[in-house]
Amino acid sequence: MCCNEGLIMRVIGCHGTTRTNAGSICTTKCFLPSGSEKDWLGSGVYFYDNNREAAYAFCKSVKRIADEDIVVVTAIIDSVLYFNLLEIEHYNLFSESVKRFRERVAKLKNAKCYPKILDGHVLEAICKEISFDFIYAAFNVNNNYKRAETRIVNPNIIDSDYNNVLCVKNVQCILSDTIRG
């Protein structure tokens, strides 16, 4: 199963960062993936879907960047190869993978060393099996995920307290001529 073959998904991505990093991104017209499987959607470049305010707020509250040093860089992300966790088929594949991963981890002697939330680990494994350029998902604004075993929101229960986020795995799907700071 691949990701929506033939259906183009185009997103105006908003990426919050420091003034220095924004200057580098705009000069080179290139984003550098970062992070690891421990991050929410795994390693990659994170964007909010057409939501500058959410990107800014993330930098301020989570990254703790000073107001005067926050810049939101925008770019168009365009691909037919994406894993959309707002679609039931992709969400179900993810949920089943999490279940199997948890069963395997529970059998390990060092099972308690694994984090409660394994989203990034599972999505990195799925990405190795199914080639896609980015992951698209909803993020719970109210921090309710802290009580859950996953931060991935079931598409059947999404309401207004969510922001759509994408994690770009293949930076070639970021249209370099659209990068603005």
Side-chain angles (χ1 to χ4, degrees):
M1 169 184 87
C2 183
C3 335
N4 312 305
E5 290 179 46
L7 299 174
I8 295 174
M9 185 170 197
R10 178 169 277 185
V11 176
I12 298 171
C14 298
H15 176 82
T17 190
T18 64
R19 187 167 304 286
T20 302
N21 288 346
S24 176
I25 291 166
C26 291
T27 300
T28 63
K29 298 289 186 190
C30 181
F31 286 87
L32 298 176
S34 60
S36 73
E37 63 189 14
K38 294 178 184 176
D39 292 328
W40 179 46
L41 300 173
S43 62
V45 183
Y46 283 76
F47 293 88
Y48 283 89
D49 182 355
N50 202 21
N51 192 335
R52 296 178 67 84
E53 293 80 17
Y56 184 92
F58 179 82
C59 284
K60 184 174 180 168
S61 65
V62 177
K63 298 266 185 172
R64 305 217 189 287
I65 300 171
D67 282 345
E68 62 276 6
D69 197 33
I70 298 172
V71 175
V72 176
V73 178
T74 61
I76 294 176
I77 297 100
D78 196 9
S79 180
V80 295
L81 299 174
Y82 52 90
F83 195 70
N84 186 350
L85 288 162
L86 299 182
E87 293 181 6
I88 294 298
E89 182 181 11
H90 292 178
Y91 177 79
N92 288 342
L93 173 63
F94 167 76
S95 294
E96 284 301 314
S97 298
V98 167
K99 181 180 174 186
R100 286 192 308 274
F101 196 90
R102 285 194 186 290
E103 288 169 355
R104 277 187 265 150
V105 166
K107 295 175 185 175
L108 299 174
K109 290 181 183 178
N110 63 343
K112 292 184 180 188
C113 296
Y114 281 82
K116 179 181 173 186
I117 298 175
L118 298 168
D119 300 346
H121 292 77
V122 172
L123 289 167
E124 290 289 323
I126 292 171
C127 187
K128 288 177 182 165
E129 295 295 317
I130 304 171
S131 179
F132 49 84
D133 293 331
F134 65 84
I135 299 168
Y136 192 81
F139 182 76
N140 187 326
V141 175
N142 294 325
N143 291 329
N144 290 335
Y145 68 83
K146 291 180 179 176
R147 294 188 302 271
E149 290 190 350
T150 181
R151 292 184 183 133
I152 305 298
V153 179
N154 183 326
N156 291 320
I157 60 168
I158 291 179
D159 60 27
S160 61
D161 289 337
Y162 299 92
N163 287 320
N164 292 336
V165 176
L166 60 152
C167 176
V168 173
K169 304 293 187 179
N170 175 8
V171 295
Q172 299 302 314
C173 72
I174 301 170
L175 305 181
S176 61
D177 61 330
T178 68
I179 295 173
R180 306 279 184 273

